[in-house]
Amino acid sequence: MASTYEPIATTTLGSGQGLVTFASIPATYTDLRLVYTGTGSATIPFALQFNNDTGSNYSYTLLYGTGSSAASTRGTSQTEGYVGNVWTDQNTIIVDIMNYSNTTTYKTQISRANSAGNRVAAWVNLWRSTAAINKIDITATGGGSYQTGSTFTLYGIKAA
Amino acid sequence: MLNVITGVHGAGTPPVTNSYESIATVTVGAGGSGTISFTSIPSTYKHLQIRATVLESNDGVMGFRFGNGSIDSGNNYTIHELYGTGSSASAYAATAQNNIGINYNYSASPLSSAPSVAVVDILDYANTSKNKTLRALCGVDYNGSGYVRLDSGLWLSTAAINAIDIVAYSGKTFNQYSSFALYGIKG
Amino acid sequence: MATTFELISSVTVGAGGASSIDFTSIPATYTDLCLVFSLRSSDGSDYCGLKFNNSSSSFSSRQIYGNGSGAGSTTRSNNDLTAVQTPSSYTSNTFSNNAIYIPNYAGSANKSYSRDSVFENNGTNAIQTLEAGIWSNTSAINQVTLVHPSATFVQYSTAYLYGVSNA
């Protein structure tokens, strides 16, 4: 019997990489959950591109705490979907990609992106496309890399 | 299979069971819906999770009401919020509410196809010694506006939850393609 | 096929309360841990502590919080105040709602974790908080403990530990 909550794929890096890809994502789930833990070569983005879309079709709103102040900011018409940042200490990022295979609405993601040494944050990101998501590129734009040992796991969550 | 048999007889390794299960899903059809209802929720789980993708016909929150049998629509709820607007971080509180309003949505403009999302957790929902506390991570982005929020709410009742209504703001409707999925988590 | 999200163990505090809630002998067979818990304090404490492998050392965290009237952010260099509980003076029969996610808990890197926490109250004052935490220790986690700072968790406080498998 199919399970409600299933792993789809996992990648653990044997060397530093600036791009990690999940391809051929089946459309059989309702939501996706992406869990990341690892370190960065520097302070780098944890940004998603869906279905090879590199256009200015992404935007985000961010709530974050620096340890001394709480703040919020946003980015519009981005070429990738920002759902976190990765620092050089151990990070945890959990991204919920909601209703990803729906072909009538845009795609909204919500995430927690945490580095104890730097920032605690919640992000909401929008991909302005009604296409079903079948590929996710996780990109550290700007030349940095996710370090050896970083782990990326994609889960599917299936509603009744 | 052998492990299942020995589990039934009370010896050996019990069968492995997934603790996260789908209970029911509502997807809004043409014409919209003002209220989403989950009824006859079994008491066999420990926690509930609602995962929602929402398009709403008017600016406003989505409101949770709970019940045991009949839904409580009295002023027996509180709401607290930690939220970011894209320019500042703020907090909010309200008591004596007739629902727990979370996840502020905008209406057809600015982006009619951009849904808000919410992941809502209610722990010990069937425990009759506890009032019911809701926690929700939610938000929406419209490429120039939007919110991201950690919301909480309290139902001032120790009754076990076996019914949930999710109501659109101020008599408005959830638009077609909004979806609300209820999950149970065993404990 | 292995179960993806599975209950490992649960604790319900009985009459008389408990000064700590302890999960021991956690198997290393999962990928991540998810701890959800609902606490109320016997005194005015609104936070409690977290230990891994019975250690209070090498913890640090960064939080953002709302308290009903304003938002702020703090850092901590210890484990003392890392999850929320409802204080005894707040609305009766009301318990907090917390979730801590610990990825790669049995791996050989330092252990980062993510926490979402709220406690409610029929009044302005309540807490919503997100936390980024780290235990700077490369040991596999085999024990997780919630520790009251000064008194006890009251009866009906609960905690549930789940294992999450990526294969």
Side-chain angles (χ1 to χ4, degrees):
Chain A
M1 186 179 80
S3 174
T4 302
Y5 194 142
E6 290 185 341
I8 297 172
T10 296
T11 297
T12 301
L13 299 184
S15 61
Q17 291 182 26
L19 176 67
V20 174
T21 297
F22 291 100
S24 303
I25 299 169
T28 50
Y29 302 98
T30 308
D31 304 326
L32 299 173
R33 171 167 274 202
L34 174 62
V35 178
Y36 164 81
T37 186
T39 60
S41 58
T43 302
I44 56 176
F46 193 89
L48 310 181
Q49 288 177 323
F50 300 116
N51 299 5
N52 298 318
D53 183 358
T54 58
S56 301
N57 298 317
Y58 306 87
S59 56
Y60 66 85
T61 302
L62 164 64
L63 169 68
Y64 67 97
T66 64
S68 55
S69 62
S72 181
T73 188
R74 67 164 30 94
T76 58
S77 299
Q78 307 289 300
T79 55
E80 45 277 314
Y82 290 93
V83 292
N85 290 107
V86 172
W87 277 267
T88 56
D89 64 341
Q90 195 73 15
N91 301 261
T92 296
I93 299 177
I94 304 168
V95 187
D96 283 294
I97 305 166
M98 306 291 282
N99 224 12
Y100 74 102
S101 62
N102 183 298
T103 55
T104 55
T105 65
Y106 293 162
K107 305 303 180 293
T108 303
Q109 304 88 56
I110 193 151
S111 68
R112 305 152 183 85
N114 292 328
S115 163
N118 295 279
R119 177 194 278 185
V120 54
W123 300 67
V124 60
N125 182 74
L126 176 71
W127 179 42
R128 295 192 309 284
S129 170
T130 58
I133 294 172
N134 56 44
K135 183 183 179 191
I136 303 172
D137 287 317
I138 304 160
T139 174
T141 59
S145 62
Y146 308 113
Q147 297 293 80
T148 302
S150 292
T151 303
F152 306 74
T153 301
L154 187 67
Y155 297 91
I157 297 172
K158 185 171 178 58
Chain B
M1 188 63 177
L2 179 62
N3 284 343
V4 173
I5 293 171
T6 56
V8 168
H9 289 280
T13 305
V16 171
T17 56
N18 203 332
S19 297
Y20 189 89
E21 294 185 348
S22 177
I23 299 174
T25 302
V26 176
T27 301
V28 177
S33 176
T35 301
I36 307 299
S37 294
F38 295 103
T39 60
S40 301
I41 299 169
S43 62
T44 48
Y45 301 99
K46 285 298 181 184
H47 319 302
L48 298 176
Q49 184 175 89
I50 297 99
R51 302 177 68 91
T53 306
V54 181
L55 297 162
E56 201 162 345
S57 69
N58 198 64
D59 293 5
V61 297
M62 49 190 275
F64 279 76
R65 292 178 174 148
F66 301 115
N68 183 285
S70 59
I71 289 290
D72 181 1
S73 57
N75 296 331
N76 299 314
Y77 302 91
T78 68
I79 173 74
H80 292 84
E81 304 166 6
L82 164 65
Y83 63 94
T85 65
S87 57
S88 63
S90 300
Y92 173 78
T95 60
Q97 304 293 291
N98 64 25
N99 67 87
I100 299 171
I102 68 163
N103 190 30
Y104 196 90
N105 297 274
Y106 289 91
S107 63
S109 65
L111 282 177
S112 60
S113 296
S116 66
V117 298
V119 179
V120 181
D121 288 285
I122 306 161
L123 305 187
D124 293 331
Y125 71 100
N127 188 305
T128 56
S129 299
K130 296 180 166 183
N131 292 333
K132 306 307 180 286
T133 296
L134 171 158
R135 166 173 50 86
L137 187 68
C138 46
V140 65
D141 186 275
Y142 296 109
N143 195 31
S145 58
Y147 291 85
V148 56
R149 307 160 58 119
L150 179 64
D151 289 344
S152 66
L154 176 65
W155 180 35
L156 289 158
S157 171
T158 58
I161 293 172
N162 63 20
I164 299 174
D165 275 355
I166 306 170
V167 297
Y169 181 73
S170 189
K172 303 303 179 182
T173 59
F174 298 117
N175 291 348
Q176 188 179 19
Y177 309 120
S178 298
S179 69
F180 303 82
L182 177 67
Y183 299 87
I185 301 169
K186 299 178 182 176
Chain C
M1 188 176 81
T3 300
T4 304
F5 191 91
E6 184 178 10
L7 177 72
I8 298 172
S9 185
S10 66
V11 173
T12 299
V13 175
S19 60
S20 66
I21 294 173
D22 202 20
F23 295 94
T24 61
S25 302
I26 298 170
T29 49
Y30 302 97
T31 309
D32 306 331
L33 295 177
C34 182
L35 178 68
V36 298
F37 48 105
S38 171
L39 306 175
R40 184 179 178 88
S41 176
S42 63
D43 68 3
S45 303
D46 55 2
Y47 280 84
C48 67
L50 177 70
K51 290 183 179 181
F52 293 148
N53 296 3
N54 203 33
S55 172
S56 299
S57 302
S58 307
F59 281 86
S60 62
S61 65
R62 204 160 295 252
Q63 301 185 15
I64 184 173
Y65 65 87
N67 59 16
S69 48
S73 183
T74 59
T75 59
R76 299 204 65 80
S77 58
N78 54 41
N79 71 323
D80 286 353
L81 304 177
T82 193
V84 302
Q85 53 178 334
T86 308
S88 58
S89 59
Y90 283 49
T91 305
S92 61
N93 304 319
T94 302
F95 294 69
S96 63
N97 182 329
N98 299 263
I100 294 179
Y101 197 95
I102 311 164
N104 214 21
Y105 71 101
S108 58
N110 290 330
K111 306 303 181 292
S112 61
Y113 62 88
S114 178
R115 176 175 63 77
D116 298 3
S117 292
V118 303
F119 76 74
E120 265 293 330
N121 180 41
N122 190 20
T124 299
N125 295 333
I127 291 288
Q128 303 74 48
T129 170
L130 299 169
E131 181 180 70
I134 192 166
W135 184 47
S136 295
N137 189 310
T138 57
S139 301
I141 293 173
N142 55 43
Q143 184 177 0
V144 175
T145 310
L146 298 167
V147 183
H148 197 291
S150 51
T152 59
F153 305 120
V154 303
Q155 186 180 20
Y156 309 121
S157 294
T158 56
Y160 306 82
L161 183 66
Y162 298 91
V164 184
S165 298
N166 70 354

